[in-house]
Amino acid sequence: DGGITQSPKYLFRKEGQNVTLSCEQNLNHDAMYWYRQDPGQGLRLIYYSQIVNDFQKGDIAEGYSVSREKKESFPLTVTSAQKNPTAFYLCASTPRQKGNYGYTFGSGTRLTVV
Amino acid sequence: SQQGEEDPQALSIQEGENATMNCSYKTSINNLQWYRQNSGRGLVHLILIRSNEREKHSGRLRVTLDTSKKSSSLLITASRAADTASYFCATDLAGGADGLTFGKGTHLIIQP
């Protein structure tokens, strides 16, 4: 079955560490997105990518970095510059950017700073 | 910036009743989408309504869109315990950057 796989499901980070969250899709979608969700809140856009080797900052990109070397993969690195990284991170994809398509979401990664 | 705002923030009803959630937004949109999220899980796409559409149905779901009032509603008929979840509206902004803008959601509890 096609879908989006996020790993790991839970991740613990020490202060000052960089960590990388994985997102892989086998839907042949061009556009991929990273969102952050805090308790009781909606989703906020971190980064998005419309094609391979290209990505754009979203509303809250500071302290995060991404890469898009393959169409299927869009990993997110939470750097030590992100002051409050504890949150639920969701990856999504859609066939093309700005089309009338719904997003397909992964099951999320819960990141906790210890 | 917060584009969509759902109302109410929380809703508790008896199984079998209808549930209505509302969403308001601020700027012009290409489409508006509704998603469901079960606790600790990813979001599931429910329905998309384009800016030139006024009503759309999918199974027990009915969505309306009023672009003059910049508002949408999601109606779930004959609710079931399995409908307990958070529901989010998301807008695709006209002429804006890529990426949906989400509201804070309505938490729906269906009492058996």
Side-chain angles (χ1 to χ4, degrees), chain A residues 33 35 37 40-43 45 48 50 88 90 97-103 105-107 110, chain B residues 30-31 33 35 37 40-43 45 48 50 88 92-93 96-100 102-104:
Chain A
Y33 308 83
Y35 283 90
Q37 185 178 30
Q41 300 295 312
L43 280 65
L45 183 63
Y48 62 94
Q50 297 159 354
F88 190 48
L90 289 157
Q97 54 119 356
K98 297 302 281 184
N100 286 307
Y101 305 104
Y103 284 24
F105 279 85
S107 56
R110 190 166 299 279
Chain B
N30 288 324
N31 64 66
Q33 304 180 29
Y35 289 81
Q37 184 180 37
R41 307 294 296 273
L43 276 70
H45 178 255
L48 179 153
R50 302 182 186 196
F88 294 88
D92 179 17
L93 302 184
D98 197 7
L100 298 176
F102 286 81
K104 294 185 179 180

Side-chain angles (χ1 to χ4, degrees), chain B residues 23-96:
Chain B
C23 171
S24 60
Y25 58 92
K26 297 175 184 174
T27 58
S28 296
I29 60 172
N30 288 324
N31 64 66
L32 184 144
Q33 304 180 29
W34 286 91
Y35 289 81
R36 184 186 75 233
Q37 184 180 37
N38 290 93
S39 181
R41 307 294 296 273
L43 276 70
V44 174
H45 178 255
L46 295 176
I47 199 164
L48 179 153
I49 187 164
R50 302 182 186 196
S51 60
N52 61 354
E53 297 175 318
R54 292 297 166 256
E55 188 170 312
K56 208 160 181 183
H57 298 255
S58 177
R60 293 184 295 113
L61 306 180
R62 172 179 166 252
V63 168
T64 62
L65 179 64
D66 186 335
T67 53
S68 66
K69 294 182 180 178
K70 292 187 170 59
S71 67
S72 173
S73 67
L74 170 67
L75 169 68
I76 303 174
T77 60
S79 63
R80 305 168 181 169
D83 295 329
T84 294
S86 292
Y87 292 81
F88 294 88
C89 73
T91 49
D92 179 17
L93 302 184

Side-chain angles (χ1 to χ4, degrees), chain A residues 2-114:
Chain A
I4 294 184
T5 301
Q6 288 188 242
S7 63
K9 187 167 181 153
Y10 299 97
L11 187 56
F12 297 91
R13 191 194 94 167
K14 293 182 180 179
E15 297 277 355
Q17 271 187 340
N18 292 354
V19 291
T20 297
L21 284 59
S22 171
C23 176
E24 302 277 335
Q25 55 101 355
N26 60 2
L27 300 165
N28 200 32
H29 286 175
D30 286 334
M32 297 186 73
Y33 308 83
W34 274 106
Y35 283 90
R36 169 182 171 140
Q37 185 178 30
D38 293 284
Q41 300 295 312
L43 280 65
R44 291 183 291 167
L45 183 63
I46 304 173
Y47 267 99
Y48 62 94
S49 169
Q50 297 159 354
I51 56 171
V52 173
N53 292 323
D54 184 59
F55 45 83
Q56 307 295 329
K57 293 182 179 180
D59 298 322
I60 56 164
E62 185 174 352
Y64 300 98
S65 66
V66 294
S67 64
R68 186 90 185 273
E69 298 176 0
K70 298 186 302 181
K71 186 175 184 177
E72 302 78 17
S73 179
F74 191 40
L76 173 73
T77 297
V78 184
T79 75
S80 57
Q82 171 50 238
K83 298 305 178 189
N84 184 22
T86 295
F88 190 48
Y89 291 87
L90 289 157
C91 180
S93 72
T94 192
R96 286 203 314 270
Q97 54 119 356
K98 297 302 281 184
N100 286 307
Y101 305 104
Y103 284 24
T104 301
F105 279 85
S107 56
T109 293
R110 190 166 299 279
L111 173 63
T112 303
V113 174
V114 295

